[in-house]
Amino acid sequence: MRGRTDQNGRVRFEVLAVACLLPAVFLALGFAQSRRPSAQQERPRRAAATTARSSNTIRVPARGDFQKALNAARPGDTIILEAGATYTGPFTLPAKPASEDFITIQSSALSQLPSASQRVSPAHAPLMPKLLSPGNNQPALLTAPFAHHYRLVGLEISPRDASALLRDIILLGDGSANQNSLQMIPHHLVLDRCYIHAFPTQETIRAIALNSSYTDIINCYISEIHHKSNDSQAIWGWNGPGPFKIINNYLEASGENAGFGGSDPPISGLIPSDIEIRHNTFSKPVSWRGVWAVMNLFEIKSGQRVVIEGNLFENCWVSVQAGFAIVLTVRNQTGGAPWSTIRDVTFRNNIVRHSGSGVNLLGHDSMDASYQSVELENVRIENNLFEEIDGVKWGGSGIFLQVTTTTGVVVDHNTVMHSGSAVSAYVTVNNVGPSSGFVM
């Protein structure tokens, strides 16, 4: 272990590269002398519903009026769109009377698509109706305030063409000040076996803006989400409370493939919560290197009760950021959300490979010392495989774990193949710190 002072005057401790990380080794790393055990993590409290009960069927033929069908549908109805047909939006899921029955919107060829437990791919597009954004920065699909209980199955959703100006392809909820109370938030929404994409040459900010509650994104394929100068994400949420299920999807984006927090939520006290992220593939095609602005594969800036389990994270290199695959950094982004925090996060049974560095944990906002936030606490990183964490091949430092100003971080039974330091630890950030309760 060695200590050095960086260019900002922070004392930094490093564990030099090792061939094997032994479990249950306690590392002081210059942290606070207290080694109090981390508090018992709280698990996600609830899960979104994914069932639907059908009563009436509404068929919308090619060139039919899909919005009219949406407006007419009642809870429990099924809207069937013609496979291969094109429907140009934007389309709004309207608010309906209170009911626990879903309105289902599905392909006429649903029986030919993969079963409910399987992921779709672009090869299934001919079996899907196409919902298109018209351009002019209008999404293909959005929700009205108070909208609830919609299930979309087997749809292709995209811009009209590669020239269409588009920020978000799908808006679930509203990230702006127009959604400023919990009562307004759309809820009980399901995207199942949908193919959501932009085009290879197109700049797009986001596939799904996830600012709703009780929402499932399952078995979908999201691709070609990229930008040359801005953040771009397959899925990102900041003004929805959860719970969220992101299960068995392919997620492709040049910025952050998925994440939560960042923009200060207009709803006071809101923290994205009760999040399950399981069995997904997070990937950036290597052909994007030097073309699009790359950041990381997964990030939380504010979130609690999160389980990230059984996923594959691959291909992350130095570009706009330093090449860390996984980033948990508390951010009170513009100073308006001092309640922002990261807590009760489990990162377990994942594979992380082909990246410049592994995991970066930052417990307080480093952007501005006046932006108050709540310290990161109770994060477990356990039983993962980190493979080819290589700063030479992918840029960056080849560090497995970088950690600054946290409480109760436990790193246990991980296998790591890396080119740089095993652990790089900063004692303080913006005069807040040091870390406590670190166990490795």
Side-chain angles (χ1 to χ4, degrees), residues 300-365:
I300 301 178
K301 296 184 177 182
S302 183
Q304 62 183 350
R305 300 188 297 276
V306 185
V307 174
I308 307 142
E309 183 172 28
N311 304 279
L312 171 62
F313 299 89
E314 63 179 5
N315 304 341
C316 187
W317 53 86
V318 169
S319 175
V320 177
Q321 291 184 353
F324 280 92
I326 309 300
V327 178
L328 307 183
T329 59
V330 176
R331 285 281 185 265
N332 174 9
Q333 194 76 12
T334 55
W339 59 84
S340 299
T341 191
I342 298 170
R343 59 180 169 231
D344 297 325
V345 177
T346 298
F347 188 85
R348 179 173 58 211
N349 299 334
N350 301 286
I351 297 173
V352 182
R353 66 189 185 192
H354 314 323
S355 181
S357 290
V359 180
N360 184 21
L361 305 179
L362 177 62
H364 283 269
D365 200 316

Side-chain angles (χ1 to χ4, degrees), residues 15 36 62 110 124 155 184 193 246 253 266 271 291 309 331 391 410 423:
V15 176
R36 73 171 176 83
L110 183 60
H124 297 107
L155 311 179
M184 299 177 67
R193 287 166 283 167
I246 302 174
I271 300 171
V291 179
E309 183 172 28
R331 285 281 185 265
V410 176
V423 179

